[in-house]
Amino acid sequence: MRPWLLFAGPTLSHAEALQVADVICLAPAVQGSIIAAVQRYDPAAIIIIDGAFQAEPAVRHKEILWAVSQAIPVIGAGSMGALRAAELYPYMHGVGLIYRWYRRFAFLPDDAVAVLYGPKVVNFSPLTHALVDLRMTVRAAWRRNLISADLSGKLENAARNLNFRERTLSRMVREASPEAGDHDIEVCRQILAGAFVQQKKRDALSALQLMRENALVPAELTNFKMTIAFLQDLEDAGLAI
């Protein structure tokens, strides 16, 4: 039986993924990851949740399209996968709210799903929160009357203005309420922590559920064409197809 592949890290840990589906878990995708994985595992399907983009070049659109041209369904959700799925519609299968946001609003910032995270030795644990999760959390707290509408607006603006490497609950609250003391900031942080919405993880789990239901039909892509830039990408990654 051909395996299912999952590229994930800070959004969904490999241990969490294996509780849902029998998949081969791989590190967040980078340039060349898709081709190398297809050549090694001959997968029945691929899910892309997380992708790295700082220390290495990000996973290329062209290599995803190449995998699709090999009749391999490729699903995207949650984070980098949602972004690529929106950009490569209808060839990738997008899943979840975040994917639909990127499909509907083409100019949403890429860093809305970005987080800072640790290396493999600590299971790619996230060190910050994504803007999309912070916004969902603030709105959830406001709807439950845990915070005022005025504070909700300030918190969303603060989260949006922070660099993704600095987006934590404490930093967001402090930026939104610069006059507040440490006690008030901690109280607000605890309220938000209690209402926290992990939208990225929800979407990632939905993608795994779709794969587990075996409800995938490969997209048809019969006119895939090589380009000089793609050949250069392959050479840079030490790959050939």
Side-chain angles (χ1 to χ4, degrees), residues 34-144:
I34 304 300
I35 292 173
V38 169
Q39 293 180 338
R40 178 176 180 183
Y41 296 106
D42 185 25
I46 297 172
I47 296 181
I48 303 173
I49 303 298
D50 290 305
F53 61 94
Q54 295 190 87
E56 300 177 74
V59 60
R60 293 289 194 248
H61 303 75
K62 197 72 173 176
E63 63 182 299
I64 296 172
L65 292 176
W66 173 79
V68 173
S69 75
Q70 305 302 301
I72 301 170
V74 183
I75 304 169
S79 192
M80 176 77 82
L83 190 58
R84 287 290 183 268
E87 294 163 341
L88 294 177
Y89 174 85
Y91 299 111
M92 280 185 72
H93 296 267
V95 176
L97 181 64
I98 297 170
Y99 159 72
R100 294 196 295 275
W101 276 353
Y102 276 121
R103 274 294 313 282
R104 184 175 180 184
F105 303 106
F107 296 104
L108 279 177
D110 291 2
D111 81 336
V113 292
V115 298
L116 193 65
Y117 61 93
K120 182 178 180 180
V121 69
V122 293
N123 299 317
F124 309 107
S125 297
L127 303 174
T128 60
H129 297 303
L131 175 60
V132 65
D133 282 354
L134 289 174
R135 290 183 64 185
M136 293 290 290
T137 297
V138 169
R139 293 181 185 189
W142 170 65
R143 291 191 187 100
R144 293 165 57 184

Side-chain angles (χ1 to χ4, degrees), residues 148-224:
S148 68
D150 179 60
L151 178 57
S152 172
K154 290 179 179 178
L155 288 167
E156 283 204 40
N157 285 334
R160 190 180 304 113
N161 291 331
L162 285 170
N163 184 279
F164 78 90
R165 301 174 186 84
E166 302 171 326
R167 286 179 181 141
T168 63
L169 286 176
S170 295
R171 183 66 185 274
M172 177 179 68
V173 174
R174 192 172 293 280
E175 292 293 323
S177 306
E179 306 301 324
D182 290 345
H183 174 73
D184 291 338
I185 288 173
E186 177 58 20
V187 169
C188 185
R189 189 200 66 78
Q190 290 183 12
I191 290 172
L192 294 172
F196 200 83
V197 177
Q198 294 181 300
Q199 189 62 50
K200 291 182 62 178
K201 180 173 290 188
R202 288 179 181 176
D203 288 0
L205 290 170
S206 295
L208 275 176
Q209 184 64 35
L210 176 67
M211 177 179 279
R212 195 171 69 171
E213 293 170 355
N214 202 22
L216 293 174
V217 177
E220 186 173 343
L221 179 58
T222 58
N223 60 344
F224 177 82

